[in-house]
């Protein structure tokens, strides 16, 4: 088991010459000796965590977003092993760029950065520092512009890229927020791996899509690849402008100075749901051709905060671009794999970083690309994803049936923004219409991205659409309803690396949070009917006129057991997704069932 690590005197007595020859193809004497020790195929914890160098560099971004007349500087808190530096050997960097280090914390226990009285960083959230610094890595945690100890405003990719540039000698760093005493990263070998969950992973994806030199790998966990799809559901804004954005993460100074910047961004984003130039710049999946880093992505299929379509968009795009890729896929919610399969996750991440940051030829890129949780706690390794080999189409029909031929009749729903998709699935309501198949005679695996084609008319010039795909039948699942994570904390702790008085390597253990249910919503999707022809140009609807729109649902990998029924729900506003401050539409939708269908990705 990988647990609390201790230095061993014998572990440093390793002959490195053969390794250098294997990696570089050159004699050891002609190459800089590696700043790590390799045994049993992985880097070893031979360096002191207690005596590691802890420091901060404030790095120029090249922008003045807060408009104070000075180039913005982002704070990069650094912890690195002292021994390689003393020998003149350089180390790679594991980086997490986040706006949350002061306001909200990171990880299951919401850890925040802490500092000594002189400002020296003491606690580095998560286990990366405890585990990897003794193995010859530096860990650098960067405050996004305008958050914690950084100046400037929220430009996450620019914040991360600035530090990558500094680590490679292409940007200036300073020893204080406003002073002129410069500091260089002579201890860094220029290789950077960016990791993070949620917004942090979104930043890593954006950095990769920028093509920045020096970024060797990214590990985005439950992260956004297309900001338009995160904020706007196929033309329908999900939140009001005043509730959209990251202003809540700002430090006191930025909260004042960045108001013009935020107002400008809101104006460029627009309120009509159109996919415009602002959103195109934030569509990282569309720029996958620029990605030079390897990618190790993580996604939960029941994540309500960052829907699985963010993963599927990214996965498909980097696949088409020929990027080396790997993924862990679970049935959990917005959850770090550290809290799903801790021992295997740490071991896999260790080998991944060894491969791409230390250059260890461990073959991990040739191993099965997919680690998939099929049912709670039951994982399999697969060569690729999705597994769909064919598509099947089902049509709803009057009377509530869902069958493999076009239906007949119409269905009418009255938009009710107080009713959510879980209520759609379980309660009688005029806010939705439900259609189900007969009980399945054999299991059916759905693997990939479903899509729907909806033909509907509205009695108003506007209309939101909501669609849910439901597995009706008894099951024991992870508890992810209402944005649940699917895990729960235990009273015990396990340790992953070395600790200091201010930074413990021991974290609460977790277990699956299971619940018995009679249905599972396995995929969802939303749209504005006025964007039926184009995401770039929405139009006002002519009341009573039917319009046809096709849009994807969220990705899934789910087996519908024999005896269960598959259901399709069509409705209007989903209260679980849409901001209640958005304007009420109060429309009535009439669906033409013969021209409404769902297309399913079928495996096997």
């Amino acid at each position: 088991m990988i647990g609390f690590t201790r230095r061993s005197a014998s572990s440093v007595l390793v002959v490195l010459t053969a390794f250098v020859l294997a990696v570089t193809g050159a004699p050891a004497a002609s190459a800089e000796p590696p700043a790590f020790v390799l045994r049993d195929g992985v880097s070893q914890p031979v360096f002191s965590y207690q005596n590691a160098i802890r420091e901060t560099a404030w790095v120029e971004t090249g922008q003045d977003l807060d408009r104070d007349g000075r180039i913005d500087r982002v704070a990069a808190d650094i912890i690195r092993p002292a021994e390689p530096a003393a020998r003149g050997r350089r180390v790679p960097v594991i980086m997490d760029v986040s706006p949350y280090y002061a306001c909200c914390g990171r990880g299951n226990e919401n850890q925040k950065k802490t500092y000594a009285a002189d400002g020296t960083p003491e606690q580095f959230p998560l286990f990366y520092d405890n585990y990897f610094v003794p193995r010859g890595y530096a860990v650098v945690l960067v405050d996004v512009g305008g958050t914690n100890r950084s100046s400037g405003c929220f430009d996450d990719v620019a914040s991360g890229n600035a530090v990558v540039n500094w680590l490679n000698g292409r940007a200036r760093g300073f020893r204080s927020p406003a002073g002129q005493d410069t500091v260089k990263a002579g201890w860094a070998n220029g290789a950077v791996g960016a990791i993070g969950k949620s917004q942090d992973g979104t930043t890593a994806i954006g950095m990769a899509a920028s093509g920045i030199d020096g970024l060797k790998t990214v590990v985005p966990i439950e992260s956004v690849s297309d900001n338009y799809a995160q904020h706007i559901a196929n033309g329908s804004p999900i939140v009001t402008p005043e509730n959209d954005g990251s202003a809540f993460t700002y430090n006191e100074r930025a909260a004042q100075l960045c108001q013009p910047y935020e107002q400008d961004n809101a104006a460029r984003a627009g309120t009509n749901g159109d996919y415009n130039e602002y959103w195109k710049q934030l569509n990282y999946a569309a720029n996958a051709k620029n990605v030079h880093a390897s990618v190790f992505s993580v996604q939960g299929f029941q994540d309500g905060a960052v829907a699985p379509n963010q993963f599927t968009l990214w996965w498909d795009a980097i696949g088409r671009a020929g990027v080396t890729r790997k993924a862990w896929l679970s049935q959990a919610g917005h959850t770090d794999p550290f809290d799903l399969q801790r021992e295997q996750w740490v071991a896999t991440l260790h080998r991944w970083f060894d491969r791409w940051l230390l250059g260890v030829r461990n073959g991990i890129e040739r191993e099965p690309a997919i680690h998939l949780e099929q049912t709670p706690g039951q994982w399999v390794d697969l060569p690729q994803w999705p597994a769909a080999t064919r598509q099947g189409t089902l049509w709803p029909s009057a009377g509530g049936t869902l069958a493999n031929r076009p239906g007949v009749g119409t269905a009418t729903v009255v938009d009710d923004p107080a009713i959510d998709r879980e209520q759609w699935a379980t309660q009688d309501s005029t806010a939705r219409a439900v259609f189900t198949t007969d009980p399945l005679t054999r299991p059916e695996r759905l693997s990939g991205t479903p899509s729907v084609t909806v033909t509907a008319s509205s009695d108003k010039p506007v209309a939101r659409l909501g669609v849910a795909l439901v597995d009706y039948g008894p099951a024991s699942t992870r508890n992810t309803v209402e944005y649940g994570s699917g895990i729960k904390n235990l009273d015990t702790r396990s340790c992953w690396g070395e600790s200091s008085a201010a930074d413990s390597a021991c974290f609460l253990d977790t277990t699956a949070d299971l619940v018995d249910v009679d249905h599972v919503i396995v995929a969802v999707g939303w749209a504005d009917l006025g964007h039926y022809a184009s995401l770039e140009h929405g139009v006002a609807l002519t009341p009573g006129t039917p319009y046809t729109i096709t849009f994807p649902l969220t990705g899934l990998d789910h087996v519908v057991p024999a005896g269960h029924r598959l259901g399709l729900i069509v409705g209007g506003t989903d209260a679980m997704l849409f901001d209640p401050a958005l304007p009420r539409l109060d429309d009535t939708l009439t669906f033409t069932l013969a021209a409404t269908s769902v297309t399913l990705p079928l495996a096997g």
Side-chain angles (χ1 to χ4, degrees), residues 2-7 45 130-131 134-135 495-499 505:
I2 301 173
F4 189 86
T5 55
R6 293 171 293 181
R7 294 185 66 196
N130 310 92
Y131 188 85
R135 288 168 166 79
C495 305
W496 303 87
E498 298 184 18
S499 299

Side-chain angles (χ1 to χ4, degrees), residues 113-430:
K113 288 182 178 179
T114 64
Y115 302 90
D118 65 356
T120 300
E122 290 189 324
Q123 177 171 269
F124 290 73
L126 305 176
F127 76 97
Y128 307 138
D129 58 311
N130 310 92
Y131 188 85
F132 285 105
V133 169
R135 288 168 166 79
Y137 294 83
V139 172
V140 178
L141 305 186
V142 181
D143 298 328
V144 169
T147 72
N148 198 21
R149 300 201 296 174
S150 291
S151 63
C153 302
F154 194 101
D155 189 336
D156 58 324
V157 174
S159 299
N161 281 353
V163 178
V164 174
N165 282 330
W166 175 68
L167 293 167
N168 283 273
R170 302 189 299 262
R172 294 201 304 170
F174 299 84
R175 297 188 184 277
S176 62
Q180 296 304 309
D181 188 6
T182 60
V183 58
K184 295 184 178 180
W187 49 267
N189 69 7
V192 179
I195 187 171
K197 176 188 169 188
S198 198
Q199 174 59 59
D200 305 15
T202 301
T203 303
I205 289 175
M207 293 168 64
S210 77
I212 188 167
D213 186 32
L215 186 66
K216 302 300 183 182
T217 191
V218 293
V219 185
I221 302 167
E222 314 286 348
S223 303
V224 173
S225 63
D226 177 1
N227 282 276
Y228 174 83
Q230 179 70 3
H231 294 82
I232 299 174
N234 293 294
S236 185
I238 295 170
V239 296
T240 58
E242 57 267 26
N243 291 336
D244 201 1
S246 300
F248 73 96
T249 66
Y250 278 147
N251 55 41
E252 185 176 352
R253 180 179 183 276
Q256 296 298 318
L257 294 181
C258 294
Q259 290 183 25
Y261 172 78
E262 293 294 336
Q263 291 166 359
D264 180 60
N265 279 340
R268 292 194 298 128
T271 59
N272 58 10
D274 287 354
Y275 181 62
N276 58 27
E277 290 302 319
Y278 174 82
W279 294 113
K280 289 177 183 178
Q281 294 173 3
L282 296 174
N283 184 348
Y284 305 136
N287 292 314
K289 63 183 182 300
N290 298 328
V291 177
H292 306 300
S294 62
V295 176
F296 187 178
S297 287
V298 177
Q299 181 65 48
F301 286 119
Q302 289 294 323
D303 188 347
V306 176
N309 60 309
Q310 294 292 341
F311 163 76
T312 56
L313 287 167
W314 176 241
W315 186 253
D316 292 345
I318 60 175
R320 291 191 299 271
V323 174
T324 299
R325 56 183 183 158
K326 185 177 182 66
W328 271 35
L329 305 173
S330 78
Q331 302 300 330
H334 199 58
T335 306
D336 195 302
F338 185 73
D339 296 316
L340 294 175
Q341 276 194 313
R342 189 163 295 180
E343 181 175 356
Q344 187 165 351
W345 170 249
V346 174
T348 304
L349 187 65
H350 182 182
R351 294 181 63 232
W352 187 261
F353 280 145
D354 276 1
R355 172 65 184 90
W356 301 109
L357 298 182
L358 296 183
V360 177
R361 304 287 185 176
N362 55 27
I364 193 170
E365 73 275 21
R366 296 189 297 276
E367 295 173 2
I370 303 298
H371 189 54
L372 170 68
E373 184 185 37
Q374 294 182 309
T375 58
Q378 301 299 313
W379 297 77
V380 295
D381 292 319
L382 302 170
Q384 61 186 18
W385 193 90
T389 57
R390 56 193 173 90
Q391 291 187 329
T393 300
L394 298 174
W395 286 264
S397 187
T401 62
L402 187 64
N404 58 4
R405 64 180 62 88
V408 295
T410 61
T412 300
V413 301
V414 179
D415 190 56
D416 187 345
I419 305 295
D420 65 39
R421 56 186 178 270
E422 281 294 334
Q423 294 168 301
W424 289 352
T426 59
Q427 300 176 12
D428 289 335
S429 171
T430 59

